[in-house]
């Protein structure tokens, strides 16, 4: 532990350990964020040498765009369903792989593996499954649910995205729940067992209350991943059919870089950032109040 007392001594320690991470954070995160906010007030198109100040015109255009709110509403539905299914499945898997059966470490690695696959590759793999494999079995066995590709049906395409999202993220969240379950003192469950508490009673009265920090982290990460999903959306559906799966991240990208409307695109990105930040702060604050100590 460094305990420098002089100013130059502290400056030297900061220069060795703190300057490079701070410089990287400022240049990669803070500076682009500030430039992005500035661009929301201009008409810069990405290539012109000059730009004009527009005030809040880009924000007004973003708020008046019905396609923006359609994508936002679609994303909210995706986030809510994905949030629930991912965390319920992850928690069940965590209970399963901490139950003490033989080979549980192998299953932990297996459930986590989808998270190691990039979203682009994952999308193409599942595109093949939805378009060929499931349709084949649907035709062979007369399963009406899979008689046609979900990716071509506006009512089912979003569910295809949700299935892939849950499959990709559940293993990652499972590890967080596993860490929470392992951190619970065995003496608590043993004492409850001696008092006659059933497995379900121990789960709802001891394990779940003590795992609120794990739920806080998992819910936050799922929220962030769900709002920002783009790669899987691009490779699996590209927003089709008829823009029925164009989530908000893809809508913002298309507005800024495909349609070359950088100002309105940046304004929509900042509105999205504000909405996600508010939801995340409310979620973390509510979960923190529910935490208990053993």
């Amino acid at each position: 532990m460094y305990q420098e007392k002089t100013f130059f001594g502290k400056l030297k320690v900061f220069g060795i350990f703190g300057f490079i991470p701070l410089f990287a954070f400022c240049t990669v995160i803070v500076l682009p964020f500030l430039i992005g906010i500035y661009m929301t007030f201009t008409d810069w198109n990405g290539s012109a040498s000059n730009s004009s100040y527009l005030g809040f015109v880009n924000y007004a255009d973003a708020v008046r765009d019905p396609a923006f709110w359609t994508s936002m509403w679609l994303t909210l539905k995706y986030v809510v369903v994905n949030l629930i299914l991912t965390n319920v499945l992850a928690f069940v898997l965590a209970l399963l792989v901490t139950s003490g059966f033989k080979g549980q470490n192998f299953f932990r690695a297996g459930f986590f593996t989808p998270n190691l696959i990039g979203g682009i590759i994952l999308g193409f793999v599942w595109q093949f499954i939805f378009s060929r494999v499931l349709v084949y079995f649907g035709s062979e066995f007369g399963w009406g649910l899979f008689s046609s590709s979900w990716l071509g049906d506006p009512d089912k395409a979003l569910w295809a995205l949700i299935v892939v999202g849950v499959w990709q993220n559940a293993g990652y969240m499972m590890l967080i729940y596993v860490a929470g379950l392992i951190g619970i003192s065995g003496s608590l469950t043993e004492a409850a067992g001696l008092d006659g508490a059933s497995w379900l009673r121990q789960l709802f009265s001891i394990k779940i209350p003590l795992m609120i920090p794990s739920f806080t982290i998992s819910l936050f990460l799922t929220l962030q991943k769900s709002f920002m999903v783009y790669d899987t959306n691009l490779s699996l559906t590209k927003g089709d059919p008829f823009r029925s799966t164009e989530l908000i991240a893809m809508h913002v990208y298309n507005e800024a870089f495909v349609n070359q409307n950088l100002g309105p695109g940046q304004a929509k990105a900042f509105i999205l950032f504000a909405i996600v930040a508010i939801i995340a702060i409310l979620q973390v604050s509510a979960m923190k109040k529910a935490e208990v100590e053993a």
Side-chain angles (χ1 to χ4, degrees):
M1 177 67 73
Y2 290 90
Q3 295 181 340
E4 304 293 337
K5 295 182 178 178
T6 63
F7 173 76
F8 289 104
K10 293 178 180 178
L11 189 63
K12 180 181 177 182
V13 172
F14 172 76
I16 295 173
F17 297 103
F19 176 73
I20 294 177
L22 181 62
F23 178 77
F25 177 75
C26 290
T27 54
V28 176
I29 304 295
V30 177
L31 188 59
F33 181 76
L34 295 177
I35 293 175
I37 293 178
Y38 169 75
M39 288 172 59
T40 64
F41 298 104
T42 70
D43 62 352
W44 190 58
N45 61 10
S47 58
S49 57
N50 297 319
S51 62
S52 302
Y53 178 74
L54 298 178
F56 289 91
V57 171
N58 289 329
Y59 286 97
D61 291 342
V63 171
R64 286 197 295 263
D65 185 1
F68 174 68
W69 294 112
T70 300
S71 288
M72 182 65 76
W73 175 241
L74 190 70
T75 304
L76 287 175
K77 290 193 287 186
Y78 172 83
V79 169
V80 170
V81 178
N82 198 43
L83 185 75
I84 296 172
L85 294 182
T86 297
N87 285 278
V88 169
L89 179 61
F91 187 66
V92 171
L93 292 177
L95 290 173
L96 181 66
V97 298
T98 55
S99 59
F101 72 91
K102 190 176 181 180
Q104 62 182 18
N105 289 333
F106 172 78
F107 284 95
R108 287 183 193 179
F111 293 139
F112 181 73
T113 300
N115 190 70
L116 301 177
I117 305 173
I120 295 291
I121 297 175
L122 201 65
F124 285 126
V125 170
W126 276 93
Q127 189 183 68
F128 176 77
I129 293 174
F130 280 116
S131 301
R132 301 294 180 86
V133 178
L134 293 181
V135 173
Y136 170 78
F137 284 108
S139 302
E140 286 292 317
F141 298 101
W143 296 340
L145 185 62
F146 301 118
S147 59
S148 61
S149 173
W150 284 18
L151 302 181
D153 188 334
D155 296 326
K156 296 177 182 174
L158 181 64
W159 285 101
L161 268 176
I162 292 171
V163 168
V164 177
V166 172
W167 188 76
Q168 182 182 26
N169 296 321
Y172 185 84
M173 303 307 159
M174 176 199 70
L175 291 187
I176 297 174
Y177 290 129
V178 167
L181 286 169
I182 293 176
I184 297 174
S185 174
S187 60
L188 291 173
T189 53
E190 289 176 10
L194 292 174
D195 289 339
S198 65
W199 182 84
L200 278 178
R201 183 63 182 272
Q202 292 180 31
L203 176 64
F204 286 103
S205 300
I206 297 176
K207 292 181 180 178
I208 289 179
L210 292 177
M211 286 183 61
I212 296 298
S214 299
F215 285 108
T216 304
I217 297 171
S218 296
L219 292 175
F220 174 78
L221 291 177
T222 312
L223 271 174
Q224 183 265 334
K225 286 174 175 283
S226 300
F227 268 110
M228 301 302 169
V229 64
Y230 175 77
D231 47 3
T232 307
N233 194 181
L234 177 67
S235 57
L236 187 63
T237 66
K238 292 184 181 178
D240 291 329
F242 313 116
R243 302 181 74 176
S244 62
T245 60
E246 187 181 81
L247 300 181
I248 192 64
M250 174 173 282
H251 176 82
V252 169
Y253 178 87
N254 289 342
E255 180 73 25
F257 298 105
V258 177
N259 302 330
Q260 292 290 305
N261 295 323
L262 287 180
Q266 278 293 121
K268 290 177 180 180
F270 187 73
I271 293 173
L272 172 63
F273 166 78
I275 292 173
V276 175
I278 291 171
I279 294 175
I281 290 171
L282 291 176
Q283 177 258 320
V284 173
S285 301
M287 297 296 289
K288 283 288 183 185
K289 291 178 181 177
E291 290 184 5
V292 297
E293 294 183 0

